[in-house]
DNA sequence: GCATTCT
DNA sequence: AGAATGCAACGCCGT
DNA sequence: ACGGCG
């Protein structure tokens, strides 16, 4: 294997030191994971993707640049490796040199290979994560040419949580904010700025000896008022970024210069194309969820060895959220109105990069506060739009509005107040398998609420506390952590206790065991997450506009989105029939007129939160079956183009004991009136045998009759029971029913299929959609609905959920809970026969 | 619909 | 890249 | 032994 550094030969051969500003060394301690994308206006304007491996930058020329759309593959020509320091190079390469022209750092950050890169280069496939300012998430480079020496690759964005959720990258450098054209044309934003500032008749002031102190906030509450603007409050270090006489300072609140600790920010300050300015902002480090994480920032701040700092600048990079500019090019902006200053600030900063402009919302503070709270942000800062910057002052022109948090906690004890009241509750949350005490809360509930909660708690009285409590209050009564309460609080204290907790309500709908400990400040977190932040577990629904059911008379075409809408709306009725049961998908990726296939085995690409269960299928081979136990799982499966979902009659806990026996009434030429007649006959038979039984449409043209078994029979016995019932029916209605499998021999009679009772056999799940032109669904029916005029096709994906909402209850309620006395039923059926 | 393999 | 391919299964019964 | 059926 060639060493990375040795192969820099080509790079050196093409360039002459002293004549080009490009670097020639690899001196940076990066931790081996920097990537950069240069935009290079040389003979042709193009992009270069460079990935650090073994001390050099593997490079690809990407003529059209990267695309954030997975469908958009971009040619990438593999070129000679570059020295690592190249990732910090931005500038003009003079005429006459190799690659003469302007080059900007279009994006930069950390790259995380997801497979061995050396091997990948050899095999022609690299898979990696990018964590830049513009590019995020999973990418691949694949070699396309037929031979191994081909230099032609493709750069492809892989499907992930970032796709479609990030804005189109802006064209500017993430460092200087210059476009490649501006750099080439020698644009001088500083000169333009000076001209404009002079014209605005601002007095030019001598720079003060010492930098201004930061303006401070008073506390406030959310409000809506014209003349005010609202900014997100970032959870980090307040910094003043100062550029003067070619030097850069990052001053913390205490006046310490922390530029050496955050070189990536200092570098960005130095790269802005202005000579003299002071920015006010907040330094943050993002957590795995993409929100500012104070504990990560503290981790970062503790790193001081230069080598460690350089690595951390790539792996745990800081951002500076700038919200004010105090002076610019020798002009004092502090007396100017806030919004004027912010105009300048926005003008000065790149659209994307380590230093970000903090935008604001005008007037609507209350709405903004709602949003900020929901997003888990620290809060808002309200600022008077016309206010000046008052250094070192705690002013009423700036108000900080902290977000309140709301979480559920388990009650582990109470301080009683009389027989049916309490003065406070002791609260706990689950940290893994252990309960952790989080403090006491008293206020918030009225007398009546406290009384009912007290009664509920008294039932769980316990001798032992569920978690260690540092200071046990007098008169405490411990209870088992069974009851959950919703609590609003400001934050966790350093000691891990709730600050300013207020009880909101008794969560009698939530098991206490679901009260997980929210992340608290000071919790040691993973230093670096390799996966991109997943913006919430949500199913990405694709191709919602694809036509799945063609139009029929009286109804326009239905799309995959219509089907997903059905499954989302019906989930609450359908999930009880799916939980714990293996399913089989029948997939129609291109709608009912496209190809279809069955799928038993859970595809490997399913996300890991979808449950699978290994079951022996034929001897020796096991298959991982899918189990749908949530709305998200149902939607994910439906999004795969699954139209009907077939379920086992048994659950994984008791896979050999079906919960019901099914009789499938299959016409096939027989009139539906006959199907109903046969169903009515079976209804009578089962009533006489005192066997509970339920009815649903199969979704096609037939009906299903289901008999709950209460786990008393195995699959074989269930099948025999079905056969017995079928034979009785045939004896009574020989002209209308049959168990002949061959269609010809049925002679127009209704086929009573009892053979769907058996291990691994399935039926179309209640409420599942069917691939017929009507887009009908399998619908539970009341027996009273079995009368002239019933048409199974009247229940379809467009109205099924509406029907269920209007019914008082699911007609099949009881299928999964009621059972029967098997011996009595079989005896009764024997008599009928 | 999606991964994988072939060209 | 673009195209093609796989994605289930087994017992029943009549010939 | 094969083929249609669900």
């Amino acid at each position: 294997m060639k060493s990375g550094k040795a192969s820099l030969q080509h790079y050196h051969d093409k360039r002459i030191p002293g004549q080009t500003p490009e670097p020639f060394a690899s001196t940076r301690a990066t931790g081996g994971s920097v990537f950069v994308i240069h935009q290079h206006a040389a003979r042709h304007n193009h992009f270069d993707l460079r990935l650090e491996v073994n001390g050099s930058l593997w490079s690809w020329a990407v003529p059209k640049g990267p695309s954030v759309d997975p469908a958009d593959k971009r040619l990438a020509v593999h070129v000679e490796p570059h020295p690592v320091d190249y990732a910090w190079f931005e500038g003009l390469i003079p005429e006459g040199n190799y690659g003469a022209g302007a080059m900007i750092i279009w994006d930069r950050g950390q790259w995380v290979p997801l497979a061995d890169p050396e091997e990948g280069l050899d095999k022609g496939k690299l898979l990696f994560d990018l964590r830049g300012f513009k590019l995020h998430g999973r990418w691949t480079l694949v070699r396309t040419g037929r031979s191994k020496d081909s230099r032609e690759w493709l750069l492809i964005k892989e499907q992930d949580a970032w796709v479609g959720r990030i804005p189109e990258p802006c064209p500017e450098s993430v460092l200087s904010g210059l476009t490649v054209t501006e750099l080439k044309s020698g644009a001088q934003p500083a000169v333009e700025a000076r001209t404009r500032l002079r014209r605005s008749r601002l007095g030019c002031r001598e720079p003060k000896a010492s930098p201004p102190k930061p303006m401070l906030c008073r506390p406030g509450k959310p409000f809506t008022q014209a003349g005010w603007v609202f900014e997100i409050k970032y959870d980090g270090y307040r910094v003043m970024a100062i550029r003067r006489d070619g030097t850069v300072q990052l001053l913390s609140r205490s006046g310490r210069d922390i530029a050496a600790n955050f070189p990536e920010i200092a570098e960005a300050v130095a790269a802005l194309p202005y000579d003299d300015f002071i920015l006010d902002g907040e330094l943050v480090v993002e957590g795995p969820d993409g929100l500012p994480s104070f504990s990560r920032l503290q981790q970062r701040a503790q790193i001081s060895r230069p080598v460690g700092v350089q690595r951390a600048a790539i792996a745990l990079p800081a951002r500076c959220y700038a919200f004010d500019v105090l002076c610019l090019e020798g002009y004092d902006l502090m007396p100017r109105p806030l919004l004027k200053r912010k105009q300048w600030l926005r003008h000065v900063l790149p659209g994307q990069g380590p230093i970000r402009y903090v935008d604001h919302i005008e007037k609507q503070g209350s709405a903004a506060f709602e949003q900020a709270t929901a997003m888990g942000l620290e809060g808002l800062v309200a600022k008077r739009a016309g206010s000046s910057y008052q250094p070192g002052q705690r002013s009423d022109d700036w108000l900080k509005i902290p977000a309140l948090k709301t979480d559920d906690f388990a009650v582990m004890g109470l301080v009683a107040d009389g027989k049916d009241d309490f003065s406070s509750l002791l609260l706990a949350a689950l940290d893994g398998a252990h309960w952790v005490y989080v403090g006491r809360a008293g206020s918030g509930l009225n007398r009546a609420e406290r009384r009912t909660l007290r009664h509920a708690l008294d039932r769980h009285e316990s001798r032992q506390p569920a978690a260690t409590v540092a200071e046990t209050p007098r008169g405490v009564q411990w209870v088992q952590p069974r009851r959950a309460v919703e609590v609003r609080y400001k934050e966790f204290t350093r000691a891990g206790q709730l600050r300013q907790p207020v009880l909101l309500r008794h969560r009698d709908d939530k098991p206490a065991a679901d009260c997980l400990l929210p992340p608290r400040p000071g919790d040691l977190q993973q230093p670096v997450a390799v996966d991109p932040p997943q913006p919430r577990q949500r199913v990405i629904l694709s191709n919602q506009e694809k036509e799945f059911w063609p139009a029929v008379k009286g109804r326009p075409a239905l799309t995959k989105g219509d089907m997903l809408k059905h499954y989302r709306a019906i989930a609450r009725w359908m999930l009880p029939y799916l939980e714990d049961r293996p399913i089989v998908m029948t997939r129609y990726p291109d709608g009912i007129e496209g190809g279809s296939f069955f799928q038993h085995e859970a595809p490997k690409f399913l996300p890991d939160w979808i449950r699978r269960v290994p079951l022996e299928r034929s001897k020796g081979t096991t298959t991982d079956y899918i189990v749908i136990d949530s709305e998200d799982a149902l939607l994910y499966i439906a999004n795969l183009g699954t139209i009907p979902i077939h379920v086992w009659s048994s659950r994984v806990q008791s896979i050999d004991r079906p919960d019901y026996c099914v009789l499938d009434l299959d016409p096939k030429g027989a009139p539906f009136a006959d199907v109903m007649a046969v169903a009515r006959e079976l209804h009578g038979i089962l009533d006489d045998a005192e066997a509970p039984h339920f009815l649903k449409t199969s979704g096609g043209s037939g009906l299903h009759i289901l008999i709950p078994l209460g786990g008393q029979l195995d699959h074989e016995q269930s099948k025999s029971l079905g056969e017995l019932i079928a034979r009785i029916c045939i004896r009574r209605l020989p002209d209308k029913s049959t168990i002949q499998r061959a269609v010809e021999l049925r002679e127009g009679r209704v086929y009573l299929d009892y053979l769907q009772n058996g291990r691994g056999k399935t039926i179309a799940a209640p409420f599942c959609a069917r691939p017929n032109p009507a887009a009908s669904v399998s619908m539970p029916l009341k027996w009273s609905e079995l009368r002239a005029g019933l048409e199974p096709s009247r229940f379809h994906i467009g109205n099924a959920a509406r029907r269920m909402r209007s019914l008082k209850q699911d007609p099949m309620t009881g299928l999964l809970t009621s059972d029967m006395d098997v011996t009595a039923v079989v005896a009764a059926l024997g008599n009928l026969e």
Side-chain angles (χ1 to χ4, degrees), chain A residues 584-591 594-601 603 605 640-644 646:
Chain A
V584 175
M585 300 183 283
T586 317
R587 297 184 47 195
Y588 291 78
D590 298 306
S596 71
F597 56 92
F598 294 93
Q599 199 161 20
H600 285 232
E601 177 99 34
F605 59 81
L640 291 176
T642 307
I643 297 183
H646 291 87

Side-chain angles (χ1 to χ4, degrees), chain A residues 310-560:
Chain A
Q310 285 187 13
R311 284 166 173 257
I314 305 292
L316 209 61
R319 306 275 186 266
C320 180
Y321 286 91
F323 47 72
D324 220 319
V325 53
L326 311 191
C327 57
L328 182 60
E329 301 305 308
Y331 291 85
D332 183 3
L333 298 179
M334 290 191 283
R336 306 282 291 157
L338 172 71
L339 290 189
K340 247 306 173 270
R341 298 199 303 276
K342 290 195 75 174
Q343 273 178 11
W344 275 108
L345 179 64
R346 196 203 306 251
H347 179 74
V348 162
L349 294 179
Q352 287 165 314
I355 308 177
R356 297 290 305 273
Y357 169 75
V358 175
D359 211 342
H360 55 255
I361 291 176
E362 291 183 11
K363 184 177 161 188
Q364 303 291 342
S366 301
F369 182 77
E370 292 288 317
Q371 275 187 30
T373 306
M375 287 169 64
L377 296 169
E378 205 203 356
L380 295 182
V381 179
K383 295 180 178 175
R384 218 186 279 276
S387 62
S388 63
Y389 193 94
Q390 300 143 49
Q393 300 290 304
R394 198 170 287 285
S395 160
D396 283 327
D397 292 339
W398 284 18
L399 303 174
K400 85 174 143 202
I401 307 172
L404 300 175
K405 299 178 173 64
T406 301
D407 278 304
D408 297 324
F409 296 98
V411 182
M412 61 170 284
L414 57 92
V415 180
D417 180 5
K419 232 177 132 35
D420 60 1
D421 198 358
F422 56 81
S423 59
S424 66
L425 300 177
L426 286 80
L427 304 175
L430 267 182
D431 182 15
H434 300 287
W435 289 102
V436 176
Y437 175 64
V438 297
R440 287 161 70 180
S443 65
L445 299 185
N446 64 31
R447 180 74 182 77
E449 289 168 328
R450 290 201 302 275
R451 183 164 51 228
T452 45
L453 180 53
R454 170 73 193 271
H455 287 311
L457 291 169
D458 281 344
R459 280 191 267 142
H460 308 298
E461 206 167 326
S462 161
R463 298 245 211 87
Q464 306 276 342
T468 321
V469 175
E471 283 177 48
T472 309
R474 282 184 8 147
V476 70
Q477 173 186 322
W478 301 118
V479 295
Q480 294 166 344
R482 294 285 183 75
R483 297 289 169 166
V485 288
E486 190 176 355
V487 178
R488 183 157 66 206
Y489 60 102
K490 198 158 174 245
E491 60 185 348
F492 276 97
T493 65
R494 279 184 171 269
Q497 307 233 332
L498 300 176
R499 196 190 296 285
Q500 299 177 12
V502 176
L503 296 170
L504 293 182
R505 63 185 176 118
H506 178 198
R507 286 296 305 265
D508 46 7
D509 54 332
K510 178 169 177 170
D514 290 352
C515 296
L516 304 184
L517 190 65
R520 296 176 297 177
D523 280 356
L524 206 59
Q525 296 183 15
Q526 289 288 350
V528 177
V530 171
D531 285 330
Q534 299 287 326
R536 304 287 158 260
Q537 180 191 103
R538 272 259 51 200
V539 183
I540 299 168
L541 302 175
S542 57
N543 289 329
Q544 301 221 50
E545 295 312 313
K546 193 184 233 182
E547 181 172 312
F548 259 38
W549 284 269
V552 293
K553 65 243 153 289
R555 191 210 67 200
L558 294 170
T559 64
K560 188 179 167 205

